[in-house]
Amino acid sequence: MGPNMVVDLLSIEANDAQHDAVLDYYGRRLATCSSDKTIKIFEVEGESHRLVETLKGHEGAVWCVAWAHPKYGNILASSSYDGKVFIWREQNSQWQKIYEVALHSASVNLVAWAPHEAGCLLACASSDGNVSVLEFKDNAWSHQVFQACGSGVNSVSWAPAVVPGQITSASGNVAGTARRFVTGGSDCQVKIWEYSPETNSYNNIQILPGHTDWVRDVAWSPTVLSKSYIASASQDKTVRIWTTSDPNLREWKSTVLNVEAVAWRVSWSPSGNVLAVSTGDNRVSLWKERLSGGWECVKTMEE
């Protein structure tokens, strides 16, 4: 998730009604959202935080908030049980809703911004089985909607814009940036999607099977090393870590991490080498890949 670290994994969820808490790119602002239909913006200084704004407008519990990259301004997206996605912007210390999206017929469970190199893109995962992708370009919003999982999409996470093994020019520039993301659904499947400029559509290029219950969360590691990493969290009390060295993302291997309760959230560190796992027993565990292979739990925290 890059600098937008999900700090709710580390104890902000003490209040059951609070669903998400995310720091902005610079770590100076914290956005939280909850069942009371509001979003709160805090200024963060050292160990203290101060409430500066409460954003209202959603008609149901707000499940997720996500900061855009600062190159696009002070932009926050929110998604709710009411089936809507709002885009908020701060200008001159004033927050206002600048765009409202009502493309879904059921709860929008998660929203995620693409890496900024790929453009100003927001993916939205909904219980209606669809994913919508919003794009801000040439001073206007456009959108695409497609079915990703008939029984409901719980999560979505973008790949780095540069894929391991992709060719870079002598100047260090990448020969084209890819638009790819992974979804987790109530069909127990993890699916990888890729944008095709030729057809102007997102196509399912790979299904990663193995989970035996709902996939609650997915997270694509932000690092561009020799391998791609995806983590998936499931109600089957496992987390799977999927790896590939294939630049076409067709051949994946998976490692199963057994946890003691339903796995709710997974989040990579900005450097991509540590995975935080949040489970239903109010624990957060940190996992690291061994040099010799395999993954080990290096720390467990209880609320």
Side-chain angles (χ1 to χ4, degrees):
M1 288 197 175
N4 276 15
M5 288 185 67
V6 181
V7 289
D8 65 325
L9 291 180
L10 303 176
S11 81
I12 273 203
E13 280 184 344
N15 174 358
D16 287 341
Q18 197 152 281
H19 301 295
D20 204 3
V22 188
L23 285 167
D24 73 356
Y25 184 85
Y26 298 110
R28 296 175 193 153
R29 296 234 175 116
L30 176 70
T32 69
C33 60
S34 64
S35 291
D36 69 3
K37 309 176 188 175
T38 70
I39 298 145
K40 290 184 168 64
I41 311 289
F42 297 88
E43 295 278 0
V44 179
E45 286 185 26
E47 295 298 307
S48 65
H49 56 277
R50 178 174 61 90
L51 178 65
V52 292
E53 190 67 76
T54 300
L55 306 178
K56 298 177 180 177
H58 279 296
E59 295 164 1
V62 187
W63 301 130
C64 182
V65 281
W67 294 95
H69 189 274
K71 75 183 272 187
Y72 299 115
N74 288 335
I75 303 284
L76 185 73
S78 61
S79 69
S80 167
Y81 182 76
D82 64 15
K84 292 178 181 175
V85 174
F86 291 168
I87 310 289
W88 310 83
R89 181 174 65 189
E90 185 211 29
Q91 271 190 315
N92 304 320
S93 300
Q94 296 291 314
W95 282 90
Q96 65 180 128
K97 183 173 66 176
I98 58 168
Y99 195 60
E100 179 174 327
V101 188
L103 297 169
H104 295 282
S105 59
S107 175
V108 181
N109 301 314
L110 198 138
V111 285
W113 294 98
H116 66 91
E117 302 93 338
C120 190
L121 298 157
L122 183 75
C124 316
S126 173
S127 293
D128 66 7
N130 293 334
V131 167
S132 60
V133 180
L134 314 177
E135 180 172 14
F136 188 72
K137 188 178 176 184
D138 301 328
N139 224 27
W141 289 94
S142 61
H143 65 263
Q144 289 180 292
V145 185
F146 59 91
Q147 186 166 73
C149 166
S151 49
V153 191
N154 300 317
S155 56
V156 58
S157 177
W158 291 85
V162 184
V163 175
Q166 215 170 16
I167 299 166
T168 53
S169 67
S171 65
N173 292 326
V174 179
T177 52
R179 295 181 178 185
R180 292 164 164 160
F181 56 75
V182 59
T183 57
S186 300
D187 59 357
C188 314
Q189 291 182 334
V190 175
K191 296 177 181 176
I192 297 172
W193 305 82
E194 183 174 54
Y195 176 74
S196 165
E198 291 76 28
T199 60
N200 188 33
S201 61
Y202 287 86
N203 304 311
N204 181 207
I205 61 166
Q206 189 63 274
I207 295 176
L208 305 178
H211 284 298
T212 58
D213 206 335
W214 286 20
V215 178
R216 281 292 180 185
D217 198 21
V218 286
W220 202 310
S221 172
T223 50
V224 185
L225 299 169
S226 58
K227 290 194 285 189
S228 293
Y229 292 80
I230 291 172
S232 55
S234 171
Q235 280 186 208
D236 65 12
K237 299 184 181 178
T238 70
V239 169
R240 284 179 178 256
I241 298 178
W242 311 84
T243 58
T244 186
S245 302
D246 175 12
N248 296 314
L249 307 179
R250 296 302 197 274
E251 303 291 329
W252 292 81
K253 294 178 181 174
S254 89
T255 301
V256 179
L257 312 181
N258 291 299
V259 291
E260 293 177 14
V262 170
W264 279 106
R265 298 293 296 268
V266 276
S267 178
W268 295 99
S269 63
S271 57
N273 62 348
V274 176
L275 180 72
V277 177
S278 174
T279 45
D281 54 3
N282 291 330
R283 289 184 182 182
V284 176
S285 53
L286 302 180
W287 298 77
K288 203 166 186 179
E289 190 173 18
R290 295 189 199 97
L291 291 174
S292 58
W295 292 75
E296 62 179 336
C297 181
V298 293
K299 190 169 185 181
T300 302
M301 293 161 279
E302 290 194 53
E303 285 183 9

